[in-house]
Amino acid sequence: MKILVIGTGAREHALARALALDPATTAVVVAPGNPGTARLDKTENTPVDAEDPAAVAALAQRVRADLVVVGPEAPLVAGVADAVRATGIPVFGPDAAAARLEGSKAFAKEIMAAAAVPTAAARVCTTLAEVEAALAEFGAPHVVKDDGLAAGKGVVVTEDRDAALAHAASCLEHAAVVVEEYLDGPEVSLFCLADGSTVVPLAPAQDFKRLLDGDEGPNTGGMGAYSPLTWAPDGLTEEVVEQVALPAVRELARCGTPFVGLLYCGLALTSRGLRVVEFNARFGDPETQVVLARLQSSLATALHAAATGALAELPALQWSTDAAVTVVVASHGYPVSARKGDVISGVEEAEQLPGVHVLHAGTATDEAGALVTAGGRVLSVTGVGADIEAARAAAYAGVAAITIDGAQHRTDIAAGR
Ligand code: AMP
Ligand code: GLY
């Protein structure tokens, strides 16, 4: 099978790496890819405007892809999967209509209400007066969300009513605002493959969304992750499939917008039970880096089955008992800005360490051939070991081998888990 992967991040590097290691794959093309994907076996990078549906569809035909896997949300919301599907090539990723599950938080709330999926009570507001009323209704801590796509940075959770109002005011300049009740309790990310009707869960993972140790500082796209969750209640995965993923997939099918791709269930395990924090329409980053590090079954076969409506016949997925921990190394200034052009050294040394692999995200090769920073999240340093402690030690040994001026990382990813 020849597979075209769309995207540039560490998630796409993790996908391409797993596909390239998979005997079911003959070749992988990553578009546009990054300096890390360029170095994988069986893999080549090729340029494309990933948010141009016609360009991606033409590329899929030109490279004779047997399967297209769309990594990020923006191409999905732009209709890239629709355009590829129209060529007859199987595509892992929902049409634009179903990707609204991520693209519009208000739409996600409508689907959850119709499917009786447990989630935070919420109000969709279009004026500051409505926001004020909703803040008063739910009380502190306040949760204010941009209705549209914001790369994980559109949400403010704060005790400070003025800060909540200020965020709402800035969102209202371009979109509606969702104000919701605060959910306490640990968060879990559960990815489900979906083929429009059948759902196959992957292994649960946990993401660290805040920039700083101790879950302080602003929200980011994610600063680290680990899997498995040895502390998670028995039956959690089955509960999420039955109460969340299947009802949502059935409701989307009922609405005529079947969901084919990755249904990312972001969950809070609250004192009152399971609640959905958010849905995404694609693999999570950095959770994918740890989930795929533990997958033993053929990723290509599983994604192809989802893309062709054949998940009911897919043999049960097999998982390594090993643990995986990813630590994200981010550039100076992230998440507010991202300094570019800082030299990255030590990646090869890190990869020599036992159990360590390094996935690229915001990296580039400069004119002199040196690896330099080119984005906010730069590298996902992933450690695999017999348990979380061993995986964590490997990941941090990898981070210690890497030098980037001004770079940031959390020191407490998966600590004590
Ligand atoms: P979202 O983009 O909706 O996933 O939100 C990003 C992050 O904000 C989540 O992973 C949570 O850490 C936090 N968050 C979102 N909604 C809530 C909520 N209702 N209660 C508490 N924290 C939340
Ligand atoms: N790690 C959070 C996300 O991918 O949305």
Side-chain angles (χ1 to χ4, degrees), residues 33-52:
N34 64 40
T37 57
R39 289 209 284 264
L40 291 169
D41 284 349
K42 294 193 227 172
T43 305
E44 60 176 297
N45 285 351
T46 193
V48 76
D49 176 352
E51 290 174 34
D52 179 342

PDB file of all heavy atoms in Angstrom, residues 33-52:
ATOM      1  N   GLY A  33       5.437  17.607   4.747  1.00  0.00           N
ATOM      2  CA  GLY A  33       6.447  16.919   5.534  1.00  0.00           C
ATOM      3  C   GLY A  33       7.405  17.866   6.222  1.00  0.00           C
ATOM      4  O   GLY A  33       7.210  19.094   6.216  1.00  0.00           O
ATOM      5  N   ASN A  34       8.428  17.293   6.860  1.00  0.00           N
ATOM      6  CA  ASN A  34       9.425  18.114   7.565  1.00  0.00           C
ATOM      7  C   ASN A  34      10.781  17.420   7.454  1.00  0.00           C
ATOM      8  O   ASN A  34      10.863  16.309   6.910  1.00  0.00           O
ATOM      9  CB  ASN A  34       8.965  18.360   9.008  1.00  0.00           C
ATOM     10  CG  ASN A  34       8.870  17.079   9.847  1.00  0.00           C
ATOM     11  OD1 ASN A  34       9.727  16.194   9.750  1.00  0.00           O
ATOM     12  ND2 ASN A  34       7.835  16.969  10.663  1.00  0.00           N
ATOM     13  N   PRO A  35      11.854  18.031   7.967  1.00  0.00           N
ATOM     14  CA  PRO A  35      13.183  17.405   7.821  1.00  0.00           C
ATOM     15  C   PRO A  35      13.263  16.016   8.461  1.00  0.00           C
ATOM     16  O   PRO A  35      14.075  15.192   8.036  1.00  0.00           O
ATOM     17  CB  PRO A  35      14.119  18.401   8.522  1.00  0.00           C
ATOM     18  CG  PRO A  35      13.432  19.717   8.359  1.00  0.00           C
ATOM     19  CD  PRO A  35      11.955  19.406   8.498  1.00  0.00           C
ATOM     20  N   GLY A  36      12.418  15.750   9.457  1.00  0.00           N
ATOM     21  CA  GLY A  36      12.413  14.424  10.079  1.00  0.00           C
ATOM     22  C   GLY A  36      11.769  13.387   9.173  1.00  0.00           C
ATOM     23  O   GLY A  36      12.295  12.275   9.014  1.00  0.00           O
ATOM     24  N   THR A  37      10.627  13.713   8.572  1.00  0.00           N
ATOM     25  CA  THR A  37       9.964  12.732   7.692  1.00  0.00           C
ATOM     26  C   THR A  37      10.820  12.463   6.462  1.00  0.00           C
ATOM     27  O   THR A  37      10.782  11.368   5.902  1.00  0.00           O
ATOM     28  CB  THR A  37       8.550  13.194   7.274  1.00  0.00           C
ATOM     29  OG1 THR A  37       8.637  14.471   6.632  1.00  0.00           O
ATOM     30  CG2 THR A  37       7.627  13.315   8.476  1.00  0.00           C
ATOM     31  N   ALA A  38      11.619  13.447   6.051  1.00  0.00           N
ATOM     32  CA  ALA A  38      12.484  13.268   4.868  1.00  0.00           C
ATOM     33  C   ALA A  38      13.509  12.159   5.093  1.00  0.00           C
ATOM     34  O   ALA A  38      13.992  11.568   4.131  1.00  0.00           O
ATOM     35  CB  ALA A  38      13.211  14.578   4.548  1.00  0.00           C
ATOM     36  N   ARG A  39      13.807  11.868   6.343  1.00  0.00           N
ATOM     37  CA  ARG A  39      14.867  10.883   6.629  1.00  0.00           C
ATOM     38  C   ARG A  39      14.331   9.478   6.892  1.00  0.00           C
ATOM     39  O   ARG A  39      15.114   8.561   7.136  1.00  0.00           O
ATOM     40  CB  ARG A  39      15.684  11.355   7.846  1.00  0.00           C
ATOM     41  CG  ARG A  39      16.570  12.560   7.529  1.00  0.00           C
ATOM     42  CD  ARG A  39      17.799  12.584   8.401  1.00  0.00           C
ATOM     43  NE  ARG A  39      17.482  13.041   9.751  1.00  0.00           N
ATOM     44  CZ  ARG A  39      17.643  14.300  10.140  1.00  0.00           C
ATOM     45  NH1 ARG A  39      18.115  15.213   9.305  1.00  0.00           N
ATOM     46  NH2 ARG A  39      17.349  14.655  11.371  1.00  0.00           N
ATOM     47  N   LEU A  40      13.009   9.294   6.868  1.00  0.00           N
ATOM     48  CA  LEU A  40      12.451   7.966   7.142  1.00  0.00           C
ATOM     49  C   LEU A  40      12.676   7.020   5.967  1.00  0.00           C
ATOM     50  O   LEU A  40      12.673   7.444   4.807  1.00  0.00           O
ATOM     51  CB  LEU A  40      10.938   8.072   7.390  1.00  0.00           C
ATOM     52  CG  LEU A  40      10.479   8.757   8.670  1.00  0.00           C
ATOM     53  CD1 LEU A  40       8.977   9.012   8.607  1.00  0.00           C
ATOM     54  CD2 LEU A  40      10.818   7.900   9.887  1.00  0.00           C
ATOM     55  N   ASP A  41      12.806   5.732   6.277  1.00  0.00           N
ATOM     56  CA  ASP A  41      12.855   4.702   5.223  1.00  0.00           C
ATOM     57  C   ASP A  41      11.576   4.747   4.400  1.00  0.00           C
ATOM     58  O   ASP A  41      10.522   5.090   4.931  1.00  0.00           O
ATOM     59  CB  ASP A  41      12.938   3.302   5.859  1.00  0.00           C
ATOM     60  CG  ASP A  41      14.326   3.008   6.380  1.00  0.00           C
ATOM     61  OD1 ASP A  41      15.246   3.778   6.070  1.00  0.00           O
ATOM     62  OD2 ASP A  41      14.458   2.009   7.118  1.00  0.00           O
ATOM     63  N   LYS A  42      11.632   4.315   3.164  1.00  0.00           N
ATOM     64  CA  LYS A  42      10.474   4.150   2.267  1.00  0.00           C
ATOM     65  C   LYS A  42       9.698   5.444   2.061  1.00  0.00           C
ATOM     66  O   LYS A  42       8.593   5.431   1.546  1.00  0.00           O
ATOM     67  CB  LYS A  42       9.445   3.151   2.854  1.00  0.00           C
ATOM     68  CG  LYS A  42       9.835   1.720   2.996  1.00  0.00           C
ATOM     69  CD  LYS A  42       8.528   0.923   3.278  1.00  0.00           C
ATOM     70  CE  LYS A  42       8.660  -0.038   4.417  1.00  0.00           C
ATOM     71  NZ  LYS A  42       7.423  -0.671   4.831  1.00  0.00           N
ATOM     72  N   THR A  43      10.241   6.591   2.532  1.00  0.00           N
ATOM     73  CA  THR A  43       9.432   7.815   2.624  1.00  0.00           C
ATOM     74  C   THR A  43      10.071   8.960   1.854  1.00  0.00           C
ATOM     75  O   THR A  43      11.294   9.119   1.867  1.00  0.00           O
ATOM     76  CB  THR A  43       9.285   8.224   4.107  1.00  0.00           C
ATOM     77  OG1 THR A  43       8.743   7.120   4.821  1.00  0.00           O
ATOM     78  CG2 THR A  43       8.389   9.438   4.282  1.00  0.00           C
ATOM     79  N   GLU A  44       9.238   9.746   1.179  1.00  0.00           N
ATOM     80  CA  GLU A  44       9.730  10.992   0.585  1.00  0.00           C
ATOM     81  C   GLU A  44       8.769  12.129   0.905  1.00  0.00           C
ATOM     82  O   GLU A  44       7.571  11.908   1.105  1.00  0.00           O
ATOM     83  CB  GLU A  44       9.879  10.849  -0.942  1.00  0.00           C
ATOM     84  CG  GLU A  44       8.583  10.522  -1.618  1.00  0.00           C
ATOM     85  CD  GLU A  44       8.711  10.470  -3.135  1.00  0.00           C
ATOM     86  OE1 GLU A  44       9.029  11.499  -3.731  1.00  0.00           O
ATOM     87  OE2 GLU A  44       8.459   9.398  -3.699  1.00  0.00           O
ATOM     88  N   ASN A  45       9.312  13.337   0.956  1.00  0.00           N
ATOM     89  CA  ASN A  45       8.498  14.538   1.129  1.00  0.00           C
ATOM     90  C   ASN A  45       8.188  15.126  -0.233  1.00  0.00           C
ATOM     91  O   ASN A  45       9.002  15.009  -1.164  1.00  0.00           O
ATOM     92  CB  ASN A  45       9.259  15.603   1.914  1.00  0.00           C
ATOM     93  CG  ASN A  45       9.355  15.286   3.405  1.00  0.00           C
ATOM     94  OD1 ASN A  45       8.729  14.357   3.896  1.00  0.00           O
ATOM     95  ND2 ASN A  45      10.152  16.068   4.104  1.00  0.00           N
ATOM     96  N   THR A  46       7.034  15.779  -0.333  1.00  0.00           N
ATOM     97  CA  THR A  46       6.747  16.523  -1.559  1.00  0.00           C
ATOM     98  C   THR A  46       5.940  17.763  -1.190  1.00  0.00           C
ATOM     99  O   THR A  46       5.123  17.712  -0.275  1.00  0.00           O
ATOM    100  CB  THR A  46       6.014  15.624  -2.583  1.00  0.00           C
ATOM    101  OG1 THR A  46       6.015  16.257  -3.844  1.00  0.00           O
ATOM    102  CG2 THR A  46       4.594  15.343  -2.183  1.00  0.00           C
ATOM    103  N   PRO A  47       6.197  18.888  -1.864  1.00  0.00           N
ATOM    104  CA  PRO A  47       5.477  20.107  -1.478  1.00  0.00           C
ATOM    105  C   PRO A  47       4.018  20.083  -1.914  1.00  0.00           C
ATOM    106  O   PRO A  47       3.687  19.476  -2.935  1.00  0.00           O
ATOM    107  CB  PRO A  47       6.232  21.222  -2.215  1.00  0.00           C
ATOM    108  CG  PRO A  47       7.047  20.557  -3.255  1.00  0.00           C
ATOM    109  CD  PRO A  47       7.189  19.121  -2.918  1.00  0.00           C
ATOM    110  N   VAL A  48       3.159  20.698  -1.116  1.00  0.00           N
ATOM    111  CA  VAL A  48       1.766  20.912  -1.513  1.00  0.00           C
ATOM    112  C   VAL A  48       1.198  21.992  -0.603  1.00  0.00           C
ATOM    113  O   VAL A  48       1.692  22.178   0.518  1.00  0.00           O
ATOM    114  CB  VAL A  48       0.932  19.604  -1.371  1.00  0.00           C
ATOM    115  CG1 VAL A  48       0.586  19.301   0.091  1.00  0.00           C
ATOM    116  CG2 VAL A  48      -0.353  19.668  -2.191  1.00  0.00           C
ATOM    117  N   ASP A  49       0.194  22.699  -1.088  1.00  0.00           N
ATOM    118  CA  ASP A  49      -0.580  23.564  -0.205  1.00  0.00           C
ATOM    119  C   ASP A  49      -1.622  22.663   0.450  1.00  0.00           C
ATOM    120  O   ASP A  49      -2.620  22.301  -0.178  1.00  0.00           O
ATOM    121  CB  ASP A  49      -1.243  24.691  -1.000  1.00  0.00           C
ATOM    122  CG  ASP A  49      -2.141  25.557  -0.121  1.00  0.00           C
ATOM    123  OD1 ASP A  49      -2.363  25.191   1.065  1.00  0.00           O
ATOM    124  OD2 ASP A  49      -2.632  26.578  -0.610  1.00  0.00           O
ATOM    125  N   ALA A  50      -1.379  22.290   1.713  1.00  0.00           N
ATOM    126  CA  ALA A  50      -2.194  21.266   2.376  1.00  0.00           C
ATOM    127  C   ALA A  50      -3.643  21.701   2.567  1.00  0.00           C
ATOM    128  O   ALA A  50      -4.499  20.866   2.823  1.00  0.00           O
ATOM    129  CB  ALA A  50      -1.571  20.908   3.722  1.00  0.00           C
ATOM    130  N   GLU A  51      -3.921  23.000   2.444  1.00  0.00           N
ATOM    131  CA  GLU A  51      -5.292  23.468   2.645  1.00  0.00           C
ATOM    132  C   GLU A  51      -6.009  23.729   1.326  1.00  0.00           C
ATOM    133  O   GLU A  51      -7.088  24.308   1.297  1.00  0.00           O
ATOM    134  CB  GLU A  51      -5.291  24.704   3.548  1.00  0.00           C
ATOM    135  CG  GLU A  51      -4.908  24.315   4.964  1.00  0.00           C
ATOM    136  CD  GLU A  51      -4.731  25.490   5.903  1.00  0.00           C
ATOM    137  OE1 GLU A  51      -5.467  26.483   5.743  1.00  0.00           O
ATOM    138  OE2 GLU A  51      -3.839  25.423   6.771  1.00  0.00           O
ATOM    139  N   ASP A  52      -5.392  23.290   0.215  1.00  0.00           N
ATOM    140  CA  ASP A  52      -6.010  23.456  -1.100  1.00  0.00           C
ATOM    141  C   ASP A  52      -6.560  22.093  -1.538  1.00  0.00           C
ATOM    142  O   ASP A  52      -5.805  21.216  -1.965  1.00  0.00           O
ATOM    143  CB  ASP A  52      -4.947  23.962  -2.089  1.00  0.00           C
ATOM    144  CG  ASP A  52      -5.508  24.140  -3.495  1.00  0.00           C
ATOM    145  OD1 ASP A  52      -6.592  23.559  -3.796  1.00  0.00           O
ATOM    146  OD2 ASP A  52      -4.858  24.826  -4.298  1.00  0.00           O
TER     147      ASP A  52
END
